[in-house]
Amino acid sequence: NAGVMQNPRHLVRRRGQEARLRCSPMKGHSHVYWYRQLPEEGLKFMVYLQKENIIDESGMPKERFSAEFPKEGPSILRIQQVVRGDSAAYFCASSSGQGGSYEQYFGPGTRLTVT
Amino acid sequence: AQKVTQAQTEISVVEKEDVTLDCVYETRDTTYYLFWYKQPPSGELVFLIRRNSFDEQNEISGRYSWNFQKSTSSFNFTITASQVVDSAVYFCAFCPPNTGNQFYFGTGTSLTVIP
């Protein structure tokens, strides 16, 4: 039973480069969530997707950030022209349904460092 | 607006002591879900428990127990006879019923169990 997979686990980018973070949900899960954890802070919601649809992106910064969950393949969180403030741990979670009655299972996270 | 407060930033206890981690939430919703997650030093998030607002029964799972008090909007977590492996950051989270798209996390409590 594979859990939520994220890769890479660690990513180093120079300012101005692009970062692509991948998330494969648990088998049978079609709901994906992305969260960001800044150093010594809790997780902050970014975006919620179902296959081929962005359902809620209320937590996404308006610029440079985008997310997708294609019909085939992993969900991708893309950060263009990274800045130092983007350095954080990015967690992906998946669930089998929408709403609080479904646990969100988290991946191990991708730690992004912008130099 | 939803808000989760974990007032204890860091706690240290000696092995075998009991410890309670506090969680207080704010909401106007009458139905909702509450969660606890553990984040060990390795960084992944481990689901511990989900509680819906209709169920105020306390729950015990081995050395872990949870005390949900809707009247005081609290969902506290107690570890009995703590062990070194319990050292981690513990997050309380809230999920509203209507959107159910995102979890609101507290800032976490870092627990250190000293051998």
Side-chain angles (χ1 to χ4, degrees):
Chain A
N1 262 343
V4 179
M5 312 277 281
Q6 287 187 253
N7 67 80
R9 293 292 303 273
H10 299 274
L11 182 61
V12 180
R13 284 286 177 267
R14 283 198 287 269
R15 275 181 299 170
Q17 291 185 319
E18 179 179 287
R20 278 185 179 238
L21 288 61
R22 293 174 188 77
C23 168
S24 296
M26 280 181 72
K27 189 176 180 181
H29 287 188
S30 59
H31 302 253
V32 166
Y33 310 78
W34 285 93
Y35 292 83
R36 175 164 64 176
Q37 183 181 30
L38 293 170
E40 299 185 11
E41 289 191 15
L43 281 75
K44 294 284 194 296
F45 168 80
M46 299 181 76
V47 62
Y48 162 47
L49 310 102
Q50 294 181 22
K51 283 283 186 183
E52 299 185 279
N53 286 305
I54 297 174
I55 308 300
D56 180 356
E57 55 182 347
S58 58
M60 286 278 268
K62 294 286 183 262
E63 296 176 351
R64 301 189 297 108
F65 285 72
S66 62
E68 62 177 15
F69 188 17
K71 189 176 179 182
E72 302 290 337
S75 174
I76 306 283
L77 179 67
R78 184 180 173 208
I79 311 172
Q80 294 178 292
Q81 298 175 315
V82 295
V83 302
R84 288 229 170 96
D86 297 332
S87 295
Y90 291 83
F91 288 91
C92 168
S94 73
S95 65
S96 57
Q98 179 180 349
S101 57
Y102 297 91
E103 294 93 277
Q104 292 186 10
Y105 292 91
F106 284 79
T110 293
R111 276 139 187 92
L112 172 66
T113 302
V114 179
T115 61
Chain B
Q2 335 290 350
K3 186 179 175 183
V4 177
T5 301
Q6 293 180 255
Q8 304 149 308
T9 306
E10 295 180 3
I11 299 177
S12 291
V13 298
V14 176
E15 203 171 17
K16 297 184 184 175
E17 285 184 348
D18 299 346
V19 58
T20 295
L21 310 182
D22 297 333
C23 173
V24 175
Y25 58 92
E26 294 175 30
T27 183
R28 292 183 178 175
D29 295 309
T30 54
T31 60
Y32 45 85
Y33 295 88
L34 297 162
F35 299 79
W36 276 95
Y37 284 85
K38 174 183 179 180
Q39 187 177 40
S42 50
E44 74 276 20
L45 277 156
V46 179
F47 166 78
L48 295 178
I49 189 171
R50 180 189 71 227
R51 167 69 69 225
N52 77 55
S53 55
F54 288 122
D55 183 1
E56 290 199 62
Q57 272 195 327
N58 290 331
E59 181 154 341
I60 298 175
S61 175
R63 296 185 296 107
Y64 295 169
S65 62
W66 290 270
N67 182 354
F68 174 39
Q69 299 267 354
K70 199 168 182 178
S71 59
T72 56
S73 298
S74 65
F75 186 42
N76 296 338
F77 172 32
T78 297
I79 302 174
T80 304
S82 59
Q83 300 176 2
V84 173
V85 293
D86 295 328
S87 296
V89 180
Y90 291 85
F91 291 99
C92 179
F94 172 97
C95 183
N98 294 327
T99 61
N101 297 335
Q102 57 174 287
F103 286 9
Y104 294 85
F105 281 84
T107 50
T109 296
S110 177
L111 173 66
T112 301
V113 180
I114 303 164

